[in-house]
Amino acid sequence: MARTKLVCTLGPASASPKLVQGLVRAGTAVFRLNFSHGTPEEHARMVHLVREAENATGKPLAVLVDLPGPKVRLGSMRPDPFTFRPGQRFDLRPEGTGDDRGASTTHPGLAGDLHEGDRVLLADGAVELTVAALEDHLVRTECVAGGIVRSGQGVNVPAERLGLPAVTDADRAGLARALDLGADFVAQSFVRAPSDVRELRATMGDRSVPIVAKIETRPAVDDIEGILVEADAVMIARGDLGVELPMEQIPLIQKELVRAARAAGRPAIVATQMLESMIHASRPTRAETTDVANAVLDGADAVMLSGETAVGEYPFESASAASTIAAYVEHEGASFRTAQVPCRHTNEGAAVAHAAAAVPVEDLGIVAITCYTETGRTARLLSAERPRVPVYAFVPPGDVRRVMCLQWGVEALPASPPADTDGMIALMDAGLQKQGLAQPGDAVVMVASSPAGRTTTNMLKIHQVGSPVR
């Protein structure tokens, strides 16, 4: 299996026990639920399917709930879909049914956030409008580039001036449902500043789960280091990011964001249109294959499929293709891989993880790195170092094992808390052999906290599998 993790979106095309378990076999570790679509009943059923697949396969599987965020959408259009033509005049207004002269939006105060000459994009850039005039609550626009738009599709305006709150009422309702459903991650849409992440975390109260900050606005790109301090992971959401910024900038911005995330020791997901043609085709294009490969070579922790598995005709084939590409590039593309970004080894645990990854695996015949962790921190530190051998983490809490589904190169395994350090070493030794991950005589690097139960990672041991514990 690829060490780069795979995130797949569930939807009408994949919401069945057979297909969810098929996606797991294809390499999916995290299942995304987009709360911008579907009903609460459908969301609950999808979570149930993931938990069923987890029990059936014995693999930890994570659920990522994607909250709507402060996104402006069109109201109803007549006809639906509606075709825009260049030169057409069109009003964006607070209310009313759409027609050929204008339509409402979900943001009644939109006129107060715009200036004459601003660019407004509809449906992820399918239509481009320019603001011709602002009159009271009306935004009078002229169509610059025509296309087809449906009711409810997005209205993109400069994010730095958007007056909507970072956490909307829809986000609060969605977050409450996500926590009730036992979501393992929550993705925050349209993050603009570190304070947005802090606000969402405060909204969670005492039921905190990791936050994946979606980087899809210019302010977020500009303040990525501050956001990485607050967020647990980031998603490079190239759809809206590509609408807000010039398209030619997106490839380099992707590399910069992945590099920043790696330096901060935070997982980075590359998302949007990875294998878009596979919504209707059984094989990806050569360009899409290269796109997935480049995300892997950039050092992304995970790649994500959206419409390919949510509404596409070939969800299993899409997941299989992404996993196959990632695994091949990891194995054969070492000379093309982006150089490891120096992590900030400001504490003992990070320094030990760095030393474990730096052990000369060829000279010593090292086949794996193992760790025992109850919080997941040791595994996260090891993942950030991108070691050349697999990391097997022995983890008692099931919710912590699921969080590791987003950590590059880490496979989480169940364990029971040991009584002492010798018991911890014996536990990892026996677990490797039981799972068929190492044979007696194999050399492994063991990393943990000693004595067992201590919170600081401070132990590094080169251990021969099957040898007595001393």
Side-chain angles (χ1 to χ4, degrees), residues 10-207:
L10 287 181
S14 49
S16 72
K18 180 179 179 180
L19 276 169
V20 171
Q21 292 184 33
L23 291 174
V24 176
R25 291 196 303 274
T28 306
V30 180
F31 287 90
R32 169 178 173 257
L33 276 61
N34 187 353
F35 270 25
S36 295
H37 305 286
T39 66
E41 294 74 21
E42 290 168 341
H43 299 151
R45 179 173 175 271
M46 290 176 186
V47 173
H48 178 69
L49 290 173
V50 174
R51 297 304 180 221
E52 278 191 332
E54 187 175 53
N55 291 332
T57 62
K59 296 177 179 291
L61 301 173
V63 172
L64 165 66
V65 166
D66 200 331
L67 299 176
K71 186 177 180 73
V72 183
R73 295 185 180 274
L74 285 171
S76 62
M77 304 287 292
R78 294 290 183 274
D80 191 6
F82 184 85
T83 301
F84 284 82
R85 292 178 174 80
Q88 177 181 352
R89 297 282 180 166
F90 194 82
D91 293 341
L92 299 174
R93 52 198 185 218
E95 56 186 13
T97 301
D99 53 33
D100 61 353
R101 294 172 296 174
S104 65
T105 74
T106 56
H107 180 23
L110 182 62
D113 295 338
L114 293 174
H115 300 158
E116 289 186 17
D118 277 345
R119 187 177 70 153
V120 178
L121 299 175
L122 307 180
D124 290 339
V127 170
E128 180 178 347
L129 311 175
T130 187
V131 178
L134 299 166
E135 300 178 10
D136 295 326
H137 299 296
L138 286 179
V139 180
R140 299 198 182 276
T141 72
E142 180 178 343
C143 180
V144 176
I148 298 174
V149 173
R150 297 180 181 275
S151 298
Q153 290 195 294
V155 179
N156 286 85
V157 301
E160 61 268 22
R161 293 209 302 273
L162 190 61
L164 288 172
V167 181
T168 66
D169 290 342
D171 289 333
R172 294 178 191 278
L175 175 62
R177 285 195 290 114
L179 295 176
D180 288 343
L181 290 170
D184 303 292
F185 299 94
V186 171
Q188 184 176 15
S189 299
F190 299 99
V191 171
R192 288 166 281 184
S195 58
D196 296 351
V197 183
R198 289 195 294 270
E199 183 177 350
L200 183 64
R201 198 178 301 281
T203 304
M204 293 180 181
D206 59 358
R207 296 197 295 171

Side-chain angles (χ1 to χ4, degrees), residues 208-223:
S208 182
V209 297
I211 296 174
V212 179
K214 294 175 66 177
I215 309 302
E216 48 194 340
T217 68
R218 184 188 297 273
V221 173
D222 293 341
D223 201 0

Side-chain angles (χ1 to χ4, degrees), residues 228-285:
L228 284 165
V229 170
E230 300 295 337
D232 301 284
V234 293
M235 180 191 297
I236 303 163
R238 303 178 302 178
D240 284 285
L241 191 61
V243 169
E244 177 140 338
L245 296 167
M247 63 178 180
E248 67 273 13
Q249 295 182 15
I250 301 305
L252 297 185
I253 288 175
Q254 172 179 311
K255 294 178 183 296
E256 291 170 357
L257 293 175
V258 171
R259 180 185 300 166
R262 289 180 64 183
R266 297 288 191 270
I269 307 167
V270 175
T272 316
Q273 296 180 330
M274 301 299 295
L275 300 175
E276 184 82 355
S277 72
M278 291 193 73
I279 292 176
H280 301 296
S282 60
R283 291 174 61 84
T285 66

Side-chain angles (χ1 to χ4, degrees), residues 300-334:
D301 292 81
V303 295
M304 189 178 98
L305 302 180
S306 300
E308 300 94 328
T309 55
V311 297
E313 298 171 23
Y314 300 95
F316 175 79
E317 290 82 356
S318 298
S320 296
S323 292
T324 299
I325 295 164
Y328 179 82
V329 171
E330 289 168 1
H331 190 263
E332 300 293 336

